[in-house]
């Protein structure tokens, strides 16, 4: 992989030249790319192996969300001084990296806050519902891409089930896999399909508020796993992460799905 290696000073220069903003850059975590916080913005510098069609999918989806769901506190794409969504910046070896800038959304990631109250998880489901409603008619030439993180294609993990050392746990996974195959073969063809965000893990979900019992989910970041799949997979991914390390995982899933019992 050809990961970008810009310094903070170089990132500041890029933002000054492309966006007309003169401010220092601070590095942010990134799995494959480079991110810098610059004032009220985030500069994203892509890996050279990143599919430009996928980057455009993200850009167009962000523009669609800004137009159709302006009340959602999502990152917004910032145009360059030339009024285009992004540009390319060569690294020291001359390799071009796609550059974009998004607005900074303040908040803490869901993984860093406790407790995960039912109301907090319910606000996650509400946000994702609003996001998917806004994308319901959105289309893009590469939206039907093949991605291993598409729950619709989860069967790729089957060969690894044999690596589970505990026979009882292995048998449980095999039984549940067979059950899910039967259910999805029956209902899958009739499930609604749309472009979804597809990555509501607890390190991509932003929470606002200091009070543990009144804080709420306000945004999501990192749109790199977007694709067209079963719409319900949006909540399936969110619920799977919400269930982790919970004493009552099914209640956590129900809260995310907004299936709370009335008081």
């Amino acid at each position: 992989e050809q990961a970008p290696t810009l310094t903070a000073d170089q990132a500041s220069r890029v933002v000054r030249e492309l966006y007309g903003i003169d401010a220092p850059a601070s590095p942010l975590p990134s799995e494959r790319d480079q991110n810098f916080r610059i004032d009220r913005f985030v500069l994203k510098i892509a890996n050279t192996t990143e599919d430009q069609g996928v980057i455009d999918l993200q850009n167009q989806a962000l523009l669609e969300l800004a137009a159709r769901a302006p009340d959602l506190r999502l990152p917004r794409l910032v145009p360059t001084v030339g009024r285009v969504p992004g540009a390319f910046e060569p690294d020291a070896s001359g390799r071009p990296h796609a550059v974009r800038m998004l607005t900074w959304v303040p908040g803490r990631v869901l993984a860093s806050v406790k407790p995960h109250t039912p109301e907090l998880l319910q606000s996650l489901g509400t946000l994702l519902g609003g996001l998917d409603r806004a994308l319901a008619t959105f289309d893009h030439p590469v939206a039907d891409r093949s991605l291993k993180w598409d729950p619709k294609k989860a069967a790729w993990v089957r060969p690894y089930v044999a690596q589970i050392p505990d026979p009882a746990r292995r048998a449980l996974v095999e039984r549940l896999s067979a059950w899910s195959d039967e259910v999805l073969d029956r209902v899958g063809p009739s499930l609604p399909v749309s472009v979804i965000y597809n990555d509501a893990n607890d390190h991509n979900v932003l929470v606002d508020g200091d009070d543990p019992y009144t804080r709420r989910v306000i945004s999501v970041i990192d749109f790199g796993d977007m694709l067209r799949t079963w719409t319900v997979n949006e909540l399936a991914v969110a619920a799977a992460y919400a269930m982790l390390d919970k004493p009552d995982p099914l209640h956590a899933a129900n809260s995310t799905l907004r299936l709370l019992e009335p008081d």
Side-chain angles (χ1 to χ4, degrees), residues 63-81:
L63 293 172
E64 181 85 353
L65 288 165
R68 292 186 173 270
D71 293 337
L72 294 181
R73 293 170 62 182
L74 299 171
R76 304 300 185 191
L77 194 63
V78 180
T80 68
V81 291

Side-chain angles (χ1 to χ4, degrees), residues 77-217:
L77 194 63
V78 180
T80 68
V81 291
R83 308 306 298 172
V84 295
F88 288 90
E89 175 68 20
D91 62 16
S93 301
R95 299 170 304 190
H97 295 272
V99 173
R100 297 175 292 158
M101 195 157 73
L102 305 177
T103 56
W104 170 268
V105 180
R108 298 170 62 189
V109 296
L110 183 62
S112 71
V113 303
K114 301 294 180 189
H116 290 179
T117 64
E119 293 78 13
L120 177 63
L121 294 177
Q122 184 173 338
S123 69
L124 171 58
T126 300
L127 173 73
L128 294 174
L131 191 156
D132 287 339
R133 279 194 299 273
L135 291 176
T137 60
F138 174 70
D139 196 12
H140 192 277
V142 305
D144 291 300
R145 63 191 179 120
S146 179
L147 187 69
K148 69 188 301 185
W149 305 123
D150 178 2
K152 192 176 182 180
K153 298 182 173 68
W156 68 268
V157 303
R158 296 289 168 74
Y160 298 95
V161 173
Q163 305 300 316
I164 300 174
D166 185 333
R169 287 180 177 271
R170 187 166 61 249
L172 175 62
V173 172
E174 290 170 343
R175 187 167 71 251
L176 289 174
S177 295
W179 171 79
S180 70
D181 284 346
E182 186 276 324
V183 172
L184 291 175
D185 285 345
R186 178 163 41 86
V187 305
S190 63
L191 290 175
V193 173
S194 65
V195 175
I196 66 170
Y197 165 68
N198 193 44
D199 201 12
N201 76 67
D202 48 2
H203 287 274
N204 281 344
V205 174
L206 295 183
V207 175
D208 188 27
D210 295 324
D211 188 320
Y213 296 96
T214 61
R215 61 168 60 112
R216 297 291 183 265
V217 170

